[in-house]
Amino acid sequence: MRPRTAAARLRERLSRLRARVPRGSLAVAGTVLVLAIGGAVLTQTLDLAAVVDAVATADPVYVAAALVAYLSSWPVRGRRYGDVLGPMGHRCRTAFLTATVFASQTANLIVPARAGDGVRAYLLNDRREVPYATGVASLAVERAFDLIALGALGGAALAVRLAGGRVVAPDGSGRVLVVAGGTAIAAALLSALTVVVARSDRQFGPALCDRAAGSRLARAVDAAVRFGAAVRVVAADAGALVRVSLASGVVWALDVATAVFVLAALVGGFGGAVDPVALAVVGTLAVSAGNLAKVLPLSQGGIGLYEAAFTGIVVAATPISAEVALAAAALDHALKNAVTLAGGGAVAAAFDLSPTRAPDESEREPDATATQPTTDR
């Protein structure tokens, strides 16, 4: 018997550690660490009293407009999800799908490690007999189009800045905007490339799985192939592809509008310190950067990461002070999370769901009869 290598012993120890550490505890620890570091930085570099004052003096008219804009995005989310599920053979009403989106997004704010995603698959399976595999695949497709929409908006905002010649700054802050916009564009191009490949007749999946068989990458490759297959189903339907793309643009445009109204509430409106076009551009870049930062699984619900990215973009692109920029980021994120939690709480009460524990796929085996397309009547 060959002696174990150091790498093998290390993998064994890591496996034992993962088995002992409760699921999601790393996300909780990451949240605490991010908040601790962020709090230390804030107390040393910013006037926290000024941040609180900025939030307290926000114009309630613009805050109300931000609330309306964000609330308006939720029915669009539900309808878009219906257009994702449709090509997969399952038709459900927009009201029900909006409720499932609310439930899963709320659970993701409460339950670590994005375990809340299982809530949506559970509800689809439990209430509409949609197989778990379809529910999980539809979530992956939805996220791909989210990245495309975010990247397109961020790229458009960066293009406007470049056209106006307002990116280059002597202190180098313009590089922050270029990096943020470039990252958004790269994410959009990668997701768009996935859709283009999915629409083609080339079959890459079997060859990739054969090459990765027996290797450490086998599981990752298998997941990527299954994701590509799910995208192919939606991409093959030209009508659904257009509808999902347009709906994704509307969803994130309303998300951006929410942030822009919040910024306006703190800087004296659209005729204040920053002109309306600049406010819209920086709001778009800030939302794109903030949501891309949330992709990193370092904190629960992206808390701290979103605010840091948002604040950095606003400070780099406008004369708005760091204190006001942070106040805008915190108010924007808090407003969106409050709407999500309120909607999710109502759905949890209506569907009799536990707000502290996301259903796991193992709790309910997919019914053999659930493979047929279903229609919500």
Side-chain angles (χ1 to χ4, degrees), residues 289-346:
N291 280 281
L292 289 173
K294 286 166 62 176
V295 173
L296 298 173
L298 300 180
S299 70
Q300 183 64 23
I303 297 174
L305 299 176
Y306 181 88
E307 286 79 3
F310 189 108
T311 302
I313 293 296
V314 172
V315 171
T318 68
I320 297 174
S321 68
E323 287 80 6
V324 173
L326 177 59
L331 182 57
D332 174 60
H333 206 187
L335 184 150
K336 292 171 180 175
N337 284 347
V339 169
T340 303
L341 287 169

Side-chain angles (χ1 to χ4, degrees), residues 6-7 73 75 79 111 136 142 156-157 175 194 212 216 243 260 274 284 346:
S73 72
R79 183 60 265 160
V111 184
V136 173
E142 184 183 74
R175 296 192 188 95
T194 301
R216 298 176 183 176
R243 290 192 299 272
V260 172
V274 184
T284 303

Side-chain angles (χ1 to χ4, degrees), residues 126-291:
D126 186 66
R127 304 304 172 101
R128 296 298 183 269
E129 297 185 339
V130 177
Y132 272 111
T134 301
V136 173
S138 61
L139 276 163
V141 173
E142 184 183 74
R143 296 232 168 89
F145 282 93
D146 278 339
L147 287 176
I148 292 175
L150 270 173
L153 288 170
L158 180 61
V160 172
R161 293 283 302 187
L162 290 170
R166 290 176 289 184
V167 170
V168 179
D171 60 355
S173 60
R175 296 192 188 95
V176 176
L177 303 183
V178 174
V179 170
T183 302
I185 293 172
L189 289 177
L190 180 61
S191 297
L193 179 62
T194 301
V195 174
V196 170
V197 172
R199 280 185 60 84
S200 70
D201 295 329
R202 302 290 297 274
Q203 297 287 341
F204 298 100
L208 289 175
C209 289
D210 289 342
R211 289 190 177 184
S215 70
R216 298 176 183 176
L217 298 176
R219 293 182 62 183
V221 170
D222 180 63
V225 169
R226 284 188 279 110
F227 166 64
V231 174
R232 179 185 293 274
V233 173
V234 178
D237 187 329
L241 180 62
V242 172
R243 290 192 299 272
V244 173
S245 299
L246 290 177
S248 297
V250 172
V251 165
W252 288 105
L254 289 170
D255 200 283
V256 166
T258 303
V260 172
F261 280 126
V262 168
L263 281 168
L266 298 179
V267 298
F270 291 110
V274 184
D275 68 85
V277 174
L279 208 59
V281 168
V282 72
T284 303
L285 285 170
V287 168
S288 297
N291 280 281

Side-chain angles (χ1 to χ4, degrees), residues 7-59:
R9 290 194 296 271
L10 178 60
R11 287 196 298 272
E12 183 179 343
R13 290 174 182 173
L14 289 175
S15 298
R16 290 177 180 174
L17 179 62
R18 283 195 294 268
R20 292 176 182 176
V21 175
R23 185 185 180 193
S25 59
L26 292 180
V28 175
T31 302
V32 173
L33 181 61
V34 168
L35 291 179
I37 295 175
V41 172
L42 291 179
T43 55
Q44 296 295 322
T45 60
L46 297 181
D47 182 354
L48 294 183
V51 176
V52 175
D53 288 342
V55 174
T57 57
D59 189 329

